[in-house]
Amino acid sequence: MATEPGILHWRDPAGDVGQLTDVADRILRSVGAVIDGKPEAIRTALAVLLTEGHLLIEDVPGVGKTMLAKALARSIDARVRRIQFTPDLLPGDVTGVSVYNQGTRDFEFRPGPVFANIVVGDEINRAEPKAQSALLECMEEHQVTVDGITYRLESPFMVIATQNPVEMEGTRPLPEAQRDRFTARISMGYPSPAAEFAMLESHGTADPLDDVVPVTSASEIVKMISLVRTVHVSDEVRQYIVELVGATRRHPEVSLGASPRAALHLIRTARAAAALDRRNFVLPDDVQALLVPVIAHRLLLQPEVALSGEPVIDITARLLTDIIARTPIPRPGSAPRPQQRRGR
């Protein structure tokens, strides 16, 4: 396997990356049989799964947001639960509640739908903030605390949430803290005419989800997640990520730039993208391809920019594309060396 000279030089002699991509290809084909003409959205969703992150799918109704989430979930032989977010949803409906058992005269904990490997949250921005915030602890720490008792969640654990554009009636924007916990946000978009024609033929008489069968297991996904963490990232690429994320904080049209958590999510998904390309090292191209889905939803624009009439999702994509164009691509040996502490 060839490597980038000077910057990327690590090899995986066991060839485990090839085994990972074989399983990943089966998942991509399984989901692609349901979602026509959206290979990049499916690939990004799989990359997020392989980082044990969380995915936010935002778009107008009827373009396949929930279908993508369900198809990915059904392609894995794992525990899957679905939550329909509505204005009357309570936090206990998400995490679970303690119920008094008259027989034992004690309280028993009844787990909520977050106790699964993949949790599909449908229309998350139609719920009240208190219900949305019930996901914060489980998304960040993979645990739930109810009545002072902490319960660990299974691995892998992933939240796939769908939301409608905030301009639609009955929706409310997610708090900044919760948006920052989503590893990436993608939009489905309308299908091409050819893909829509094929959809009418294949989906018109039956539900394609009925034909989806698991192509891998939860234990296999755990192994793949561990392997992705070993993908090499050079100091130069790390510095490139730092410069890209830092540029979002200095941009004149941005009031709140990307957080350090965003940089961590970017390097993790870049590792997954490299592994999906049968590489055990990250290239700057991997980082560039993921900058918009990983960073855009975390940015807060200046008020005059947000109210310009252009969709926010388009503005943030344009800003990040401009940042990529203005940030020099790293060269061999360009990363700063860590300074050594002097002895006293």
Side-chain angles (χ1 to χ4, degrees), residues 171-183:
T171 62
R172 53 183 57 81
L174 294 177
E176 291 82 359
Q178 186 156 1
R179 289 205 309 271
D180 200 44
R181 281 168 169 79
F182 281 101
T183 305

Side-chain angles (χ1 to χ4, degrees), residues 240-262:
Y240 186 50
I241 291 174
V242 169
E243 292 174 359
L244 289 171
V245 172
T248 67
R249 303 165 188 164
R250 300 186 299 269
H251 200 284
E253 297 183 33
V254 177
S255 63
L256 179 64
S259 66
R261 182 191 285 120

Side-chain angles (χ1 to χ4, degrees), residues 59-65 164 190-191 199:
D59 217 319
V60 297
V63 294
K65 301 188 301 297
N164 296 321
Y190 290 109
M199 180 194 70

Side-chain angles (χ1 to χ4, degrees), residues 36-228:
D36 298 310
K38 299 296 177 183
E40 287 303 317
I42 300 172
R43 178 183 168 87
T44 302
L46 180 56
V48 172
L49 172 64
L50 295 181
T51 65
E52 208 167 12
H54 310 290
L55 182 68
L56 183 63
I57 309 176
E58 178 182 352
D59 217 319
V60 297
V63 294
K65 301 188 301 297
T66 305
M67 186 78 75
L68 171 59
K70 288 183 177 179
L72 180 62
R74 292 193 182 188
S75 298
I76 302 167
D77 187 12
R79 295 181 60 192
V80 180
R81 298 290 298 274
R82 178 178 178 274
I83 307 172
Q84 180 65 52
F85 281 82
T86 57
D88 60 347
L89 191 74
L90 298 176
D93 298 330
V94 177
T95 60
V97 294
S98 295
V99 178
Y100 184 73
N101 187 324
Q102 293 184 348
T104 61
R105 295 187 178 183
D106 198 2
F107 284 92
E108 296 179 352
F109 178 66
R110 294 186 178 178
V114 295
F115 286 84
N117 297 115
I118 297 181
V119 179
V120 180
D122 207 6
E123 296 186 305
I124 189 174
N125 61 336
R126 290 197 183 277
E128 296 292 334
K130 61 183 178 182
Q132 296 174 355
S133 63
L135 287 172
L136 290 177
E137 182 183 12
C138 66
M139 291 175 67
E140 182 67 17
E141 303 174 42
H142 292 193
Q143 66 183 32
V144 170
T145 301
V146 178
D147 296 334
I149 302 177
T150 299
Y151 304 90
R152 295 293 303 175
L153 298 176
E154 298 181 24
S155 185
F157 175 73
M158 179 184 186
V159 173
I160 306 177
T162 71
Q163 73 169 0
N164 296 321
V166 294
E167 295 82 5
M168 299 192 67
E169 184 177 357
T171 62
R172 53 183 57 81
L174 294 177
E176 291 82 359
Q178 186 156 1
R179 289 205 309 271
D180 200 44
R181 281 168 169 79
F182 281 101
T183 305
R185 179 192 66 182
I186 61 175
S187 296
M188 301 296 293
Y190 290 109
S192 65
E196 193 164 10
F197 179 85
M199 180 194 70
L200 294 177
E201 181 179 6
S202 60
H203 299 193
T205 57
D207 186 351
L209 285 173
D210 295 338
D211 297 328
V212 177
V213 296
V215 296
T216 188
S217 63
S219 60
E220 192 70 21
I221 293 296
V222 171
K223 295 178 183 177
M224 295 168 70
I225 291 171
S226 298
L227 178 60
V228 164

Side-chain angles (χ1 to χ4, degrees), residues 266-340:
L266 184 56
I267 197 172
R268 290 169 184 170
T269 50
R271 281 190 170 110
L276 291 177
D277 280 342
R278 294 183 180 268
R279 280 184 283 108
N280 46 27
F281 55 87
V282 173
L283 292 172
D285 291 349
D286 301 318
V287 178
Q288 293 177 359
L290 288 163
L291 191 67
V292 172
V294 173
I295 302 296
H297 64 287
R298 309 170 194 263
L299 304 182
L300 284 183
L301 302 175
Q302 296 288 358
E304 62 274 14
V305 178
L307 297 175
S308 63
E310 185 181 359
V312 171
I313 190 172
D314 294 338
I315 297 175
T316 52
R318 172 177 54 80
L319 295 182
L320 292 171
T321 302
D322 178 66
I323 287 174
I324 291 174
R326 293 174 179 270
T327 304
I329 296 177
R331 302 295 180 185
S334 61
R337 295 182 178 179
Q339 296 181 353
Q340 295 181 353

